[in-house]
Every structure is written in C-alpha cells, then in structure tokens.
C-alpha cells in the first residue's frame, strides 16, 4: 500500500517536472528578451527609420513591411484555404484524387521554410517576373501558411455537428445553402483561430522572405506591391549577424517587437477560441 | 394533402439489403406508426420518403414510391421541392444554435428570400401557435433556442418544419429523449396536427403506436410483415411474428 503511494508520488513528480520543462523555455525566452530589449523601446524606435547603418534610429519600415507581408499572405491564403477546406470537408468523396490532395497538404506543412523561399524565388521572382517584391513575398508566405489554414478550417467545419446539416437538408435547403447558412457561421471562430495562428507563423519566418522580398536596408516605406520591403525577422537576422557593432539593446528591442506581435496574435486566437467554447452548447 | 403509395420497394446499403419488397399505403390525415425491433428498417423506410438516404454512400433503391403521382425515388426528382413537401422530425431535438425566431425563419430564408418582416413575423407566429408554443415563447423570440427544455426544443423543431408548409411529417422516434409528460404532450400535438398533415411515426414504443396511430405497420429484418388498422394489429394480429413482437416475446 505504502509502496504504491510512493511510486504514485514519484510518478506525479516526474510528470509535473516534464510539464514544467515545457513552460520554462517559453518563459525564459520572453523574460530575457523583454529584459534586454525593453530599454530600446521608445516612440522613436517604433516610428523612425533605421539610421547610421542600422545602428541607431528605429525599425518602423520593418514593422510596416511585416504587416504588409502578413496581410498580403492572408489575402492569398485565406480565400484559397477556406474554399479548399470547404471542398474537402463538405464535397470531397473518399477517392484516390482526394487522398492525394490530403497527402499533399500534410506534406506541404512539413516542407522546410527555406525550401518555400527557394520555390518563391524560382516561381514568383524569376519565372513570373514579379522580382523581389512584396507580391512575391506575400505569395510565398501565403503558400507556406496554406496548410495551416486548410487544416484548421477543415477541423472547424467538421466539428459542426452532422445533425445540423441533416436538418437543414431535410428542410429543403440545398447543399450550398446549408454550408452558407449553417456550417460556415458555426465554423467561423475555428477558422479565425487557425488563420491568426497562420499569421503569427508568417510574421515570424525569415527564410521564405529571404530571397523573395526582404531588403537588407531600405530606409523608406515601400511604395507598391512590386517594391521590396524590410521585415522584422530578416532585419533581426541582418543586425545580429551582418552589421558589426550594433548595440545589444537594439537587437533585443527588435526581437521583442517581433515576439510581441506574434504573441498578441496568438493571444487573440486563444481568446476567440475560449469565447467560442464557452458559448457552444451542443 | 398527399398519400404515399409504396410498391415493391427494395433498398441496399452496399451488399446488405435493408428493405425487402415493401408494399404499403399511407393515407393522408392519418397517423401511421411503424414499429419493429432495432435494425428492422423502419427508419430506413422513413428516410426513403424524403430521400435522406441519399446522404449515405452506396445506397441503391428499386421499386416505386408515389407521392401525388410522382415517383420520388426516380433520378429526376427535385430534392428541394420533395423535402419542402415531406418534412422530418428527428430523434434528438436539434434546433440550430440560433434564436428561436431565426430557427423558424430558416426555411423562409432559404426558400423565399426577400420576404417582408411583417410576413415573416406572421409565419413565425403561426408556426409557434400550431405547436402550442406561442404563448410560452412570444416574449423571448430572440433568445437562443438552445436555452429551451427538451420538449420545447422538439416542439420548436416541429414548428420550424411547419413553417416550410409540408404535406407529410415524418417523425423518427420524436419522443425517445423526452420524459413521460413531454411525450404525452407531443402525442397530443400529433393528434392535433393530423387534421392537416399525413403523419408517419417510427417508434420503439408499442404503447405509443397503440395510443396515437390510426394504422400500424410491423417490420422485421427489412420486411413489412403486417400493415393494417392499429386496433387490428394490436388485438388480432394475422402473422405469428407480429403477435410474438407485440406480446413481448422479442424486440
């Protein structure tokens, strides 16, 4: 009896330890970056262009560039991903073609991000002649987050109870009316959550934008979608490895801004999901 | 108004034959009960009438089901107009996660876009009145339908169906999740509704069939064993299998 008690306690201890070890790195990353980066954060840092070879001034163009890229990626990935998810969840029958499509989506999410970068370079920059531009970068990031959006949207659609679809059809609604009036509205929170998680991913990636859009140093805002742009992750890479004598607080300040953006996006996703779960009663 | 005439109906799920040569006649303004043990095919038969079996892959049907001289199992049947005419109440009350009002308005939103608010209000009121919910709910039409009791939900589902103005109501064990009071009130409602609709109810509950129905069909292993006046089926069954079932020897 005592023995089982003791082994239970030991098991609990190790399980708890393992859980703690997951939280620890996240916490440390946030704390260290916040600690070292906070001194750099002020209005000028957020609103000014980089000066003195990026050793001083601000990171405003990189923030703006990141926003352009993230929403550009969303512009391409959300409609396409959502339509694909609707097709896969509502229309696709179990056959070879659809199995191949599903396999492709799974594999797409496993492709290393640098490969997306090369692919974007080959297809958008060179072949389609968009050049290194916001358009090329957005398309590349869009393709990268497509599997996330498709997978989460599909899960959201499939979690809408089958009985809703049956009732709607039994009342004489067509399949498309059922999707539009019943399935989609009930799946929106889940779709939104997945989309925002995809955005967070797109905001943080360096490799896909490396060859397709990112400017080493461009102390002005982009003028059109065919313009190059600076972006936070690439800027961080540049000032950390390519430019000598950048003050540590500038590097950590940039990291902090990027981290903050991504965390805020994830937080929004969590809040939406939480509210949705609280409301749903079926 | 509509009768349903079923002739030589067979149905297969893949290799499994779920309905075997069913012949029956469902009369308008009557309640017909379908009884039989689980898996006998009574729900499958019900789902032939509004073609809900189409949702299952690998279903094949042969024979003839006439509603208003139209063979509804033919390929050319317009499912939208069929399902407007032949509505279904499900086993579990399943209102949409919308307001009470929007649940009932759903059919109109789908079938008659651009209806005036006044006309829509009228349809919602009439539908709720016909299931005797109007007085209870008229002040909380904008509340979520998910806040209602099970019985109220099932009534709401019937009202949602009535709003589409069907001729035939298919009820697939509509009381199986309700308590005895709820059950008896829904049964009362069914007696009320049969003045205007052809009602077919599938039920596990033989007492319920005896209480509410005018005619009864007994099914076993995909066959319609016996079909006739409810009184005759329960007091003087012709087939040995029917007698065994209603006296509780199996099922």
């Amino acid at each position: 009896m005592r023995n089982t008690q003791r082994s239970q306690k030991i098991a609990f201890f190790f399980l708890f330890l393992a859980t703690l070890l997951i939280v620890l790195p996240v916490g440390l990353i946030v704390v260290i970056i916040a600690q070292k980066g906070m001194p750099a954060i002020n209005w000028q840092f957020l609103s000014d262009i980089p000066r003195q070879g990026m050793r001083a001034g601000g990171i405003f163009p990189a923030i703006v560039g990141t926003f352009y890229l993230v929403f550009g990626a969303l512009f391409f990935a959300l409609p396409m991903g959502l339509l694909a998810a609707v097709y896969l969840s509502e229309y696709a029958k179990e056959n070879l073609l659809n199995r191949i499509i599903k396999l492709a989506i799974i594999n797409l999410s496993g492709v290393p991000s640098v490969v997306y970068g090369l692919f974007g370079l080959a297809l958008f920059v060179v072949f389609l002649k968009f050049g290194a531009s916001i358009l090329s970068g957005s398309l590349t990031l869009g393709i990268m987050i497509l599997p996330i959006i498709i997978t989460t949207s599909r899960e959201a659609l499939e979690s809408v109870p089958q009985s809703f679809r049956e009732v709607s059809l039994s009342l004489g609604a067509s399949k498309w009316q059922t999707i539009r009036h019943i399935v989609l509205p009930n799946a929106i929170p889940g779709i939104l959550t997945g989309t925002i998680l995809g955005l967070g991913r797109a905001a943080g990636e360096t490799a896909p934008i490396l060859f397709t859009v990112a400017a080493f140093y461009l102390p002005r805002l982009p003028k059109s979608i065919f313009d190059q742009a600076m972006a936070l992750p690439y800027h961080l890479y540049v000032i950390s490895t390519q430019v000598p004598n950048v003050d540590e607080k500038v590097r950590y300040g940039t990291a902090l801004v990027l981290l903050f953006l991504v965390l805020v996006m994830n937080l929004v996703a969590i809040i939406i999901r939480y509210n949705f779960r609280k409301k749903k009663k079926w | 108004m509509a009768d349903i005439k079923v002739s030589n109906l067979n149905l297969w799920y893949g290799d499994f034959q779920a309905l075997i040569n069913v012949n029956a006649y469902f009369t308008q303004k009557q309640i017909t009960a379908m009884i039989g043990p689980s898996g006998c095919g009574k729900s499958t038969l019900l789902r032939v009438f509004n073609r809900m079996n189409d949702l299952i892959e690998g279903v094949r049907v042969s024979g003839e089901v006439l509603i208003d001289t139209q063979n509804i199992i033919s390929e050319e049947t317009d499912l939208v107009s069929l399902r407007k005419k032949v509505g279904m109440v499900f086993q579990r009350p399943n209102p949409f996660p919308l307001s009470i009002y929007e649940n009932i308005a759903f059919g109109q939103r789908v079938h008659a876009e651009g209806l005036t608010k006044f006309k829509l209000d009228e349809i919602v009121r009439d539908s709720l009145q016909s299931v005797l919910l109007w007085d209870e709910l008229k002040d909380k039409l904008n509340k979520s339908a998910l806040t209602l009791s099970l019985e109220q939900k099932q009534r709401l589902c019937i009202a949602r169906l009535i709003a589409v103005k069907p001729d035939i109501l298919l009820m697939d064990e509509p009381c199986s999740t309700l308590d005895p009071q709820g059950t008896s009130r829904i049964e009362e409602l069914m007696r009320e509704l049969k003045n205007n609709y052809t009602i077919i109810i599938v039920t596990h509950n033989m007492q319920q069939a005896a209480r509410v129905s005018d005619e009864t069909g007994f099914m076993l292993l995909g066959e319609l064993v016996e079909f006739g006046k409810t009184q005759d089926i329960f007091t003087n069954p012709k087939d040995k299998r029917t007698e065994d079932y209603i006296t509780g020897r199996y099922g």
Side-chain angles (χ1 to χ4, degrees):
Chain A
M1 202 52 203
R2 182 160 299 164
N3 236 335
T4 36
Q5 286 256 335
R6 187 183 302 151
S7 53
Q8 164 148 313
K9 270 186 186 158
I10 293 170
F12 272 161
F13 175 75
F14 280 107
L15 293 172
F16 178 67
L17 200 69
T19 316
L20 200 67
L21 282 177
I22 299 166
V23 182
L24 208 63
V26 181
L28 278 179
I29 289 171
V30 174
V31 168
I32 290 173
I33 290 183
Q35 211 175 28
K36 294 193 173 178
M38 261 335 254
I41 306 291
N42 54 41
W43 180 242
Q44 196 209 357
F45 186 68
L46 297 176
S47 65
D48 198 6
I49 58 168
R51 292 173 197 281
Q52 297 170 25
M54 294 181 269
R55 290 181 191 85
I59 56 168
F60 186 58
I63 297 176
V64 172
T66 289
F67 269 103
Y68 281 165
L69 288 175
V70 163
F71 287 101
L74 182 67
F75 181 78
F76 296 116
L78 183 58
M80 203 160 129
L82 188 55
L83 293 177
V86 169
Y87 171 75
L88 287 173
S89 132
E90 307 297 321
Y91 289 99
K93 294 209 167 77
E94 198 54 42
N95 59 28
L96 186 66
L97 176 67
N98 288 311
R99 274 203 295 275
I100 290 173
I101 293 175
K102 283 174 193 171
L103 199 68
I105 292 166
I106 293 168
N107 279 305
L108 209 54
S109 64
V111 172
S113 56
V114 68
V115 177
Y116 282 109
L118 277 173
F119 169 75
L121 174 70
L123 180 63
F124 302 123
V125 178
V126 177
F127 183 73
L128 294 174
K129 298 192 174 67
F130 294 152
S133 63
I134 292 179
L135 182 62
S136 299
S138 297
L139 284 166
T140 310
L141 285 173
I143 291 177
M144 187 190 74
I145 63 171
L146 207 49
I148 303 175
I149 292 186
I150 293 177
T151 310
T152 50
S153 301
R154 212 179 112 202
E155 271 165 22
L157 291 165
E158 280 170 1
S159 76
V160 176
Q162 195 58 33
S163 68
F164 290 177
R165 295 181 180 82
E166 280 199 0
V167 184
S168 174
L169 292 172
S170 82
L171 288 166
S174 69
K175 191 154 188 167
W176 173 240
Q177 285 172 322
T178 300
I179 293 169
R180 209 185 69 194
H181 291 283
I182 298 299
V183 181
L184 275 179
N186 284 300
I188 278 178
I191 293 168
L192 223 55
T193 310
T195 305
I196 297 170
L197 289 176
L199 289 190
R201 173 95 195 276
E205 280 290 348
T206 315
I209 57 174
L210 195 57
F211 319 119
T212 52
V213 49
F216 187 82
Y217 177 61
L218 190 73
R220 60 175 173 82
L221 297 184
K223 290 195 188 70
S224 82
I225 57 167
F226 294 105
D227 221 351
Q228 274 193 295
M230 296 181 81
L232 282 171
Y234 184 62
H235 182 63
L236 182 59
Y237 165 74
V238 165
I239 57 175
S240 304
T241 62
Q242 309 293 304
V243 182
N245 304 325
V246 177
D247 196 353
E248 190 187 64
K249 73 173 189 187
V250 173
R251 297 192 311 235
Y252 279 94
T254 308
L256 183 61
V257 171
L258 178 58
L259 191 66
F260 180 75
L261 280 179
V262 175
L263 286 184
V264 165
M265 284 184 197
N266 287 355
L267 192 67
V268 170
I270 290 166
I271 292 171
I272 292 174
R273 194 163 45 187
Y274 174 75
N275 280 331
F276 177 57
R277 288 218 176 121
K278 224 171 45 178
K279 237 174 45 188
K280 136 170 148 179
K281 285 207 188 88
W282 58 77
Chain B
M1 285 306 110
D3 294 351
I4 304 179
K5 183 166 181 274
V6 181
S7 323
N8 303 324
L9 179 68
N10 290 285
L11 184 145
W12 293 265
Y13 293 123
D15 293 332
F16 173 72
Q17 187 165 9
L19 293 177
I20 303 163
N21 202 27
V22 174
N23 289 281
Y25 194 91
F26 298 89
T27 314
Q28 64 178 22
K29 296 196 181 189
Q30 270 200 4
I31 299 176
T32 308
M34 301 305 296
I35 59 171
S38 296
C40 68
K42 52 194 194 304
S43 287
T44 301
L45 179 63
L46 206 64
R47 284 163 171 261
V48 168
F49 301 146
N50 65 349
R51 292 275 297 267
M52 287 302 273
N53 286 324
D54 287 21
L55 299 185
I56 304 164
E57 262 177 74
V59 169
R60 280 182 302 128
V61 191
S62 77
E64 195 180 58
V65 177
L66 288 180
I67 299 179
D68 290 341
T69 72
Q70 191 199 355
N71 182 13
I72 58 126
I73 63 174
S74 84
E75 288 286 324
E76 298 97 63
T77 305
D78 174 13
L79 291 186
V80 169
S81 59
L82 172 68
R83 287 171 183 161
K84 270 168 81 175
K85 188 153 63 177
V86 186
M88 186 165 222
V89 178
F90 293 79
Q91 194 166 353
R92 284 195 66 78
N94 47 10
F96 296 125
L98 301 168
S99 71
I100 292 164
Y101 186 97
E102 280 304 320
N103 260 282
I104 298 182
F106 178 79
Q108 305 305 319
R109 297 243 185 268
V110 166
H111 295 305
E113 274 173 65
L115 221 55
T116 61
K117 173 95 174 98
F118 179 77
K119 183 81 184 129
L120 202 56
D121 286 352
E122 198 178 86
I123 289 171
V124 170
R125 192 194 62 222
D126 290 349
S127 305
L128 282 173
Q129 266 169 353
S130 62
V131 297
L132 316 176
L133 267 182
W134 175 249
D135 292 329
E136 266 168 84
L137 299 185
K138 64 182 174 203
D139 298 323
K140 37 182 174 178
L141 293 177
N142 291 318
K143 274 206 163 169
S144 165
L146 301 180
T147 61
L148 299 175
S149 74
L150 268 178
E151 185 210 335
Q152 285 176 320
K153 280 183 190 167
Q154 195 61 301
R155 277 172 189 269
L156 182 74
C157 292
I158 297 172
R160 176 176 63 186
L161 183 53
I162 285 173
V164 183
K165 301 191 174 23
D167 294 330
I168 298 167
L169 304 183
L170 308 173
M171 299 190 166
D172 191 356
E173 306 197 28
C175 301
S176 63
T177 59
L178 305 182
D179 60 17
Q181 281 100 34
T183 300
S184 87
R185 282 195 293 262
I186 294 284
E187 286 175 7
E188 221 168 282
L189 175 62
M190 287 169 60
R191 284 190 205 100
E192 189 96 6
L193 291 174
K194 82 168 181 184
N195 298 317
N196 298 310
Y197 304 95
T198 311
I199 298 179
I200 305 175
I201 176 175
V202 158
T203 176
H204 255 102
N205 180 335
M206 273 183 284
Q207 286 81 8
Q208 181 170 53
R211 278 192 306 261
V212 298
S213 69
D214 303 291
E215 290 194 296
T216 297
F218 169 63
M219 293 187 71
L220 188 63
L221 300 171
E223 277 181 83
L224 182 58
V225 173
E226 195 165 345
F227 190 93
K229 293 254 172 285
T230 298
Q231 217 181 345
D232 297 342
I233 297 271
F234 280 92
T235 55
N236 188 20
K238 292 191 185 65
D239 195 292
K240 178 84 172 65
R241 291 170 290 177
T242 315
E243 190 184 337
D244 286 350
Y245 182 71
I246 59 172
T247 53
R249 230 157 280 172
Y250 58 84

